[in-house]
Amino acid sequence: MSIDARDEAAATLARATAFLRAQAHQPWLDQPWCDRQRLVRSRVIGNWIGELDRLLHVLLDTAADRAGHPVSLHQRNTANKLVTFCAEASWGTARLDGMARARATFRYTQGAARRADVRGGSHMTVGWSGPGGALRRFRIGERIQLGSKALVEVCDLYDELAAQVVRVPLVQRKGLGYQGI
């Protein structure tokens, strides 16, 4: 029996979030960062976020193909691709946009918020929540922190979005009979 590409992509994303959940228990994530450690730590976290985003992107492509929807190869923004394929998951777009901002910040500015949500703005919103449950906001110039609790929340986000993508029903392709012949 062959494994469905969508199910394989979903399983790969689930393995990635399981790995990151284990990393959330590492003490270095919640410890203060000195300047010497900042470059490596921020790159590691930026890469983690980037990999989760890429795996969700691949899952969306394989799920769209399996469901009989056109695969949008030119669309590189995962949040936009998600809404196009699975409107029920539109609740996650603000979080995915925040994750993209956080990823870029960790990769390119060693965790210093440099780009506001809107032109001329004073804050950058990331994809995990802060005190009170609203998405966490950082002032421009402030160092972004992603601790253990936030990393688990990020994993929960990607797991829930993947579950919603997998639940999208199949569309019978034209010209195929009952057995796909």
Side-chain angles (χ1 to χ4, degrees), residues 20 30 40 57 63 74 76 87-88 114 144 159 162 175:
L20 292 181
D30 291 322
V40 173
H57 199 90
H74 68 279
R76 295 179 58 198
E88 297 81 25
R114 297 276 186 252
I144 294 176
D159 284 342

Side-chain angles (χ1 to χ4, degrees), residues 16-18 20-21 52 150-160:
T17 58
L20 292 181
R21 285 177 198 285
L52 290 176
L151 182 57
V152 169
E153 183 180 330
V154 167
C155 291
D156 290 345
L157 167 69
Y158 281 91
D159 284 342
E160 179 56 32

Side-chain angles (χ1 to χ4, degrees), residues 3 12-14 20 50 56 60 71 86 104 112 117 152-153 163 165-166 172 177:
I3 297 175
T12 301
L13 180 55
L20 292 181
L56 180 60
L60 284 163
V71 176
C86 182
D117 298 342
V152 169
E153 183 180 330
V165 167
V166 169
Q172 183 68 35

Side-chain angles (χ1 to χ4, degrees), residues 73-137:
L73 297 175
H74 68 279
Q75 178 58 263
R76 295 179 58 198
N77 182 299
T78 304
N80 291 343
K81 186 173 270 202
L82 177 70
V83 170
T84 301
F85 176 69
C86 182
E88 297 81 25
S90 63
W91 60 267
T93 57
R95 289 185 176 272
L96 287 178
D97 287 340
M99 294 308 300
R101 284 188 292 273
R103 177 189 68 234
T105 299
F106 281 121
R107 281 186 177 170
Y108 304 117
T109 65
Q110 298 178 18
R114 297 276 186 252
R115 189 171 192 178
D117 298 342
V118 296
R119 185 180 299 259
S122 61
H123 286 82
M124 184 180 99
T125 306
V126 294
W128 57 90
S129 56
L135 290 181
R136 181 79 166 87
R137 298 181 75 207

